[in-house]
Amino acid sequence: MKQLYDDVSFRISKIVTHSYSTSFSIAVSCLDKEMRKAIHSIYGFVRFADEIVDTFHDYNKKDLLTEFESSYYKAFKEGISLNPVLHSFQITIKKYNIPDDLIQAFLKSMKADLVKTGSYSKPEIDEYIYGSAEAVGLMCLCIFVNGDKSRYEELKHPAMKLGAAFQKVNFLRDIKNDIYDLERGYLHDIKISTFGKEVKDKIVWDIEEDFTVALTGIRNLPENAKLPVFIGYTYYLKLLKKIERTPAQKIVTTRIRINDFSKLLLLIKAYLSVKLRLV
């Protein structure tokens, strides 16, 4: 009957994924069943940690995150947890031999959010992006290559660039909330008062460079993983282009979004591009 609990745990991670991100859920649904379960478990772990840091303002965040981390390692050691998200995550970590340094890098970035306010230095931002985005992308890459170490090394750099691009787009999209509500400046030396077209264009150019490198990796992904990753790439590139067209003054007051109809068109375009082997 242990298998039943395993299945329930993965289903709960799937519910977490669907509840927090419709767009991501659609992309993940293009994977085969086993990969889909594994990615849901990673998302559940990452989302819960992020919620502790960014949402649970009326609670002791440091204690909650410490407990979350220790509960994971206890689950990993014992092979079971009564927290279904942690239970499914530890199964995935073991099945795909995901290195612990990736988990530690992610948790380090989450912990930084608990103590850091104001602007991040360039080295701090680079380290934060690695932990919060690139390391998560590498966890997913471990699943996509299914233990093929040579392919992992080949795709590692483009995967990191894709994660970095996603995170930087999020920084631009959420700049108002990050600075005003969370009191964090993730973009180096950027203040609302000095954020203008020249600064925005420089950041956009940097992200476009990341996307260019990332696309080379997407082209070489295993066929059964290429579509969902390309969907994410297409969505975030579209969001970046919309941000590029939006005046800087509006970005610092409004969260830029892609409407549902445009998302559907992007999904169709990405599907055709992969199926027709244009990617």
Side-chain angles (χ1 to χ4, degrees):
M1 295 301 291
K2 166 69 163 44
Q3 184 61 50
L4 179 58
Y5 179 65
D6 292 350
D7 293 342
V8 168
S9 296
F10 278 103
R11 283 203 296 270
I12 289 174
S13 291
K14 177 180 178 180
I15 290 170
V16 172
T17 306
H18 285 201
S19 298
Y20 280 98
S21 180
T22 303
S23 300
F24 185 77
S25 295
I26 292 172
V28 174
S29 69
C30 299
L31 293 167
D32 63 48
K33 182 179 178 181
E34 288 305 307
M35 280 190 181
R36 198 161 60 234
K37 286 169 54 180
I39 297 298
H40 284 152
S41 71
I42 288 178
Y43 184 92
F45 178 84
V46 169
R47 172 51 59 187
F48 273 20
D50 194 59
E51 284 298 293
I52 291 171
V53 170
D54 285 348
T55 305
F56 299 162
H57 304 307
D58 296 329
Y59 304 90
N60 189 318
K61 297 179 181 182
K62 182 179 179 181
D63 285 353
L64 287 173
L65 190 58
T66 299
E67 181 182 354
F68 187 72
E69 179 180 6
S70 63
S71 295
Y72 160 66
Y73 281 106
K74 185 173 185 289
F76 183 86
K77 178 181 178 180
E78 298 182 356
I80 193 166
S81 173
L82 293 182
N83 178 328
V85 167
L86 293 180
H87 182 65
S88 63
F89 182 65
Q90 62 89 18
I91 291 175
T92 294
I93 294 301
K94 291 175 180 176
K95 179 176 181 179
Y96 293 95
N97 296 312
I98 297 174
D100 184 63
D101 65 275
L102 298 180
I103 301 167
Q104 277 298 304
F106 168 74
L107 290 171
K108 184 176 182 179
S109 290
M110 295 300 99
K111 292 171 186 176
D113 277 340
L114 294 179
V115 297
K116 179 70 177 179
T117 58
S119 297
Y120 279 64
S121 67
K122 181 64 167 60
E124 286 176 330
I125 291 172
D126 291 342
E127 184 176 33
Y128 181 87
I129 290 175
Y130 174 73
S132 65
E134 295 175 14
V136 177
L138 293 177
M139 291 183 210
C140 295
L141 181 60
C142 289
I143 295 167
F144 295 151
V145 301
N146 196 24
D148 187 332
K149 293 183 178 180
S150 63
R151 201 162 195 181
Y152 176 86
E153 291 300 325
E154 173 194 347
L155 298 173
K156 182 178 179 179
H157 181 63
M160 291 171 65
K161 287 294 185 180
L162 185 62
F166 287 175
Q167 186 65 292
K168 292 173 190 176
V169 171
N170 286 340
F171 289 161
L172 275 178
R173 181 193 62 188
D174 299 333
I175 187 170
K176 172 181 175 290
N177 179 68
D178 288 340
I179 291 179
Y180 283 135
D181 299 335
L182 299 177
E183 298 181 343
R184 301 178 196 141
Y186 290 117
L187 298 168
H188 177 51
D189 284 340
I190 300 302
K191 299 179 176 63
I192 294 294
S193 59
T194 59
F195 186 75
K197 183 179 185 302
E198 183 177 349
V199 173
K200 186 195 73 172
D201 288 348
K202 182 179 179 180
I203 297 169
V204 168
W205 180 85
D206 177 62
I207 299 171
E208 288 175 340
E209 290 290 298
D210 288 338
F211 273 127
T212 298
V213 176
L215 185 58
T216 64
I218 294 173
R219 294 183 192 279
N220 292 306
L221 279 171
E223 289 301 317
N224 59 348
K226 187 178 293 185
L227 178 56
V229 178
F230 188 63
I231 289 172
Y233 167 91
T234 303
Y235 170 76
Y236 270 90
L237 187 60
K238 177 74 172 179
L239 185 56
L240 179 65
K241 295 301 182 183
K242 187 170 183 179
I243 290 172
E244 186 177 19
R245 295 191 304 268
T246 303
Q249 294 77 10
K250 185 175 181 180
I251 292 173
V252 299
T253 59
T254 306
R255 193 174 193 264
I256 307 303
R257 300 177 182 275
I258 303 296
N259 63 49
D260 289 343
F261 180 70
S262 294
K263 288 180 183 178
L264 177 60
L265 292 180
L266 289 173
L267 179 64
I268 295 171
K269 179 182 177 181
Y271 176 83
L272 292 174
S273 295
V274 172
K275 292 305 177 182
L276 295 175
R277 300 187 181 278
L278 300 177
V279 178

